[in-house]
Amino acid sequence: MTAADPPIPPAVILADAQMGENIGAVARAMANFGLTDLRLARPRDGWPNARAYAVCSGATWILDAARVFDRVEDALSGLTRVYATAARDHAMAKPVLTPEAAMARIVEDGRAGATAGIVFGSERAGLTNDDVSLLDGIVTIPGDPRFMSMNLAQSSVVIFYEWRRLAVAAPSETLDLGKTGLADKAELLGFFEHLERELDDAGFLFPPAKRDSMIRAIRAPLHRAQLSEQDVRTFRGIVTALTKRPHAARKQQAELIAALKAAGKGDG
Amino acid sequence: MTAADPPIPPAVILADAQMGENIGAVARAMANFGLTDLRLARPRDGWPNARAYAVCSGATWILDAARVFDRVEDALSGLTRVYATAARDHAMAKPVLTPEAAMARIVEDGRAGATAGIVFGSERAGLTNDDVSLLDGIVTIPGDPRFMSMNLAQSSVVIFYEWRRLAVAAPSETLDLGKTGLADKAELLGFFEHLERELDDAGFLFPPAKRDSMIRAIRAPLHRAQLSEQDVRTFRGIVTALTKRPHAARKQQAELIAALKAAGKGDG
């Protein structure tokens, strides 16, 4: 494992999962965020389940590799730290963590070469108190306390998203400029000076005492726009078109008149 | 608005939403995370939509208040910053942000009293290039590049979760000890000293040169366990039971023998 590899992802344990659709949705969410190890404890409708395959959106390799266990405790073998997601109060003295706090520890374990686990209870009853007693803590997704109604598919997406957010660094902002790159400072400055020359000619940068602050006010948003080389060409073209408009219009007018005359001659 | 209030949540704009089920799922996710302003641009099957109500899990107030618009640009009125979620490459020079980076700015706007917006495209075609040109950036959920297949319901949950994570501070870890509180240091120390006295008697803390480091090694995990008052009582009971075992067992044995004798007499 190199430094660039993501840490070992957690295993996902579904306890008493009832609907095949939910198992398929969890597999799809696992695949989206790079998790692979699915363990089913007492799946209600047996295994394999055609409904799970029907809704997994092609994440079949997760379902193919899923292992089935009779008891939740058997499904936890080989795992170090194990958290369960639950909204219900189990009245047990277990730490309750945000997804962020729990996944931060699971990522830490994964970087150290250990496999952690995340247990999801059944859709209807959640986890039993016996199941909860096996665990290191409860993960609860913070939401509006007046309305928390998340199904297995939704809560698994949030948890796996949070794992990947912490596990794999992603650039927070990128700008895809297509074929052309960001304009270099010389191109940008050339454009600014072109624009300001024309604004001086037009008497816009007036009075002189305010000229510098007006120029800063014009340059600041154009800097923020992160103009590409192509953008700079486009904007220089716009400045040229606007300043040359009287000449160009006169030239076009002259051409049209000439064309009209020629047409008149041809007709006459 | 006090400092404790959450910032103004973003408006949610669904462009060309096709299935009522998806509109209902988005409403449910909005309610989970405290968003309220739903705007529908060109909903394919008209509005209101019975399927949306059927799957919203009771978040009907969001659907009741939803507004319908003919064009995406009309639905953006009153909004300052607007991002769209998309996985597809629109080949337009728009900043591409993580959910975290985009929601951080939307939270900032909301704290300043401004309403931002999040646009979701249609399930099949995503957003048109005209729609994208109206926006401040694209939000892309980072995932496994080999398999990114998220539907509207899933991606909206992630985006709204991320908004609330940044908007509303939640304690990263809490411990619900039920009726009894965390043991205070005196109770904890009383238990440690009780245990260590018995271990001294049992010859466990030996040799004396290692006694201090052994005690530290015993106390450390018990500290980490964050014992409640009830836990301390339970553990003191365990120490007492284990150390008094020979006496208790002898006492029970004597009682049993006496009972047996008494029974023998009654029978004889």
Side-chain angles (χ1 to χ4, degrees):
Chain A
M1 193 167 81
T2 68
D5 283 335
I8 296 174
V12 174
I13 300 99
L14 301 186
D16 307 290
Q18 291 171 19
M19 295 170 66
E21 284 82 350
N22 282 326
I23 301 173
V26 168
R28 174 183 181 174
M30 290 174 66
N32 278 330
F33 295 106
L35 287 75
T36 51
D37 182 351
L38 177 61
R39 307 177 180 199
L40 307 171
R42 309 175 293 232
R44 188 191 65 177
D45 299 333
W47 193 256
N49 182 312
R51 296 297 304 148
Y53 277 86
V55 303
C56 75
S57 282
T60 51
W61 71 95
I62 307 261
L63 298 176
D64 291 343
R67 285 175 288 165
V68 179
F69 300 87
D70 287 334
R71 301 184 311 162
V72 172
E73 44 266 61
D74 299 333
L76 304 185
S77 91
L79 307 180
T80 48
R81 195 190 298 270
V82 180
Y83 293 113
T85 62
R88 294 173 58 214
D89 180 9
H90 282 272
M92 297 191 75
K94 289 283 173 184
V96 176
L97 294 89
T98 57
E100 186 174 10
M103 293 309 117
R105 293 180 194 180
I106 286 184
V107 165
E108 213 175 281
D109 287 355
R111 287 199 206 290
T115 305
I118 307 167
V119 180
F120 295 88
S122 79
E123 298 87 337
R124 200 167 43 197
L127 290 167
T128 68
N129 283 345
D130 277 352
D131 292 340
V132 171
S133 75
L134 300 165
L135 306 170
D136 295 291
I138 304 287
V139 181
T140 298
I141 296 172
D144 188 334
R146 296 163 299 182
F147 182 87
M148 263 323 265
S149 152
M150 293 188 78
N151 60 24
L152 183 55
Q154 291 173 313
S155 51
S156 65
V157 164
V158 167
I159 301 292
F160 304 160
Y161 161 77
E162 189 63 72
W163 175 77
R164 191 173 183 97
R165 187 178 71 81
L166 297 171
V168 184
S172 65
E173 181 172 342
T174 54
L175 181 60
D176 180 5
L177 292 169
K179 285 169 208 153
T180 106
L182 212 59
D184 72 21
K185 293 298 172 202
E187 291 168 319
L188 204 59
L189 210 65
F191 162 54
F192 288 164
E193 287 167 353
H194 176 187
L195 174 62
E196 289 149 16
R197 212 160 46 232
E198 296 293 349
L199 291 176
D200 271 328
D201 283 358
F204 182 85
L205 297 174
F206 192 87
K210 291 198 174 169
R211 188 174 182 276
D212 281 356
S213 68
M214 289 174 83
I215 283 177
R216 279 194 298 274
I218 293 165
R219 289 187 179 193
L222 291 168
H223 261 296
R224 283 201 307 273
Q226 302 187 68
L227 299 177
S228 70
E229 293 169 10
Q230 178 56 55
D231 292 333
V232 167
R233 281 195 293 273
T234 302
F235 276 85
R236 290 193 79 144
I238 287 172
V239 172
T240 303
L242 293 178
T243 52
K244 300 294 179 252
R245 193 167 46 153
H247 312 291
R250 268 199 295 276
K251 197 182 158 207
Q252 284 177 5
Q253 203 176 16
E255 284 171 3
L256 286 168
I257 290 168
L260 211 61
K261 279 183 183 166
K265 265 183 194 158
D267 284 348
Chain B
M1 194 168 79
T2 69
D5 283 334
I8 296 175
V12 175
I13 300 99
L14 301 185
D16 307 290
Q18 291 171 18
M19 294 170 65
E21 283 83 349
N22 282 325
I23 299 174
V26 168
R28 175 183 182 175
M30 289 175 67
N32 279 329
F33 296 105
L35 287 75
T36 52
D37 183 351
L38 177 61
R39 308 177 181 197
L40 308 171
R42 308 174 294 232
R44 187 192 62 176
D45 299 333
W47 192 255
N49 181 312
R51 297 296 308 147
Y53 277 86
V55 303
C56 74
S57 281
T60 50
W61 72 94
I62 307 260
L63 298 176
D64 291 343
R67 285 175 286 164
V68 179
F69 299 87
D70 287 334
R71 301 184 309 165
V72 172
E73 44 265 62
D74 299 332
L76 305 186
S77 90
L79 307 180
T80 48
R81 197 189 298 270
V82 180
Y83 292 113
T85 62
R88 295 172 58 213
D89 179 11
H90 282 274
M92 296 190 73
K94 290 282 174 182
V96 176
L97 295 90
T98 58
E100 187 174 9
M103 293 309 118
R105 292 181 194 180
I106 285 183
V107 165
E108 212 175 282
D109 287 355
R111 286 200 208 289
T115 306
I118 307 166
V119 180
F120 295 88
S122 79
E123 299 88 337
R124 199 168 43 197
L127 290 167
T128 66
N129 283 345
D130 276 352
D131 293 340
V132 171
S133 75
L134 299 166
L135 306 169
D136 295 291
I138 303 288
V139 181
T140 298
I141 297 172
D144 189 333
R146 295 163 299 181
F147 183 86
M148 263 322 266
S149 151
M150 294 188 78
N151 60 24
L152 183 55
Q154 291 172 313
S155 51
S156 65
V157 165
V158 167
I159 300 292
F160 303 160
Y161 160 78
E162 188 64 72
W163 175 77
R164 193 174 183 94
R165 187 178 71 81
L166 297 171
V168 183
S172 64
E173 181 171 343
T174 54
L175 181 61
D176 181 5
L177 292 168
K179 285 169 207 151
T180 107
L182 213 58
D184 73 20
K185 292 297 171 205
E187 291 169 318
L188 204 59
L189 208 66
F191 162 53
F192 288 165
E193 286 167 352
H194 176 189
L195 174 62
E196 289 150 15
R197 212 159 46 232
E198 296 293 351
L199 292 176
D200 272 329
D201 282 359
F204 181 84
L205 297 174
F206 191 87
K210 291 198 173 170
R211 187 175 183 276
D212 282 357
S213 69
M214 289 174 84
I215 284 178
R216 278 194 299 274
I218 294 165
R219 289 187 179 192
L222 291 168
H223 261 296
R224 282 201 307 271
Q226 300 188 68
L227 299 177
S228 70
E229 294 169 10
Q230 179 55 55
D231 293 333
V232 167
R233 282 196 293 274
T234 302
F235 276 84
R236 290 193 81 141
I238 288 173
V239 172
T240 302
L242 294 178
T243 53
K244 300 294 178 250
R245 195 168 42 155
H247 313 292
R250 268 199 295 276
K251 200 183 156 206
Q252 284 177 7
Q253 203 177 14
E255 285 171 4
L256 285 169
I257 290 168
L260 211 59
K261 280 182 182 164
K265 266 182 194 157
D267 281 348

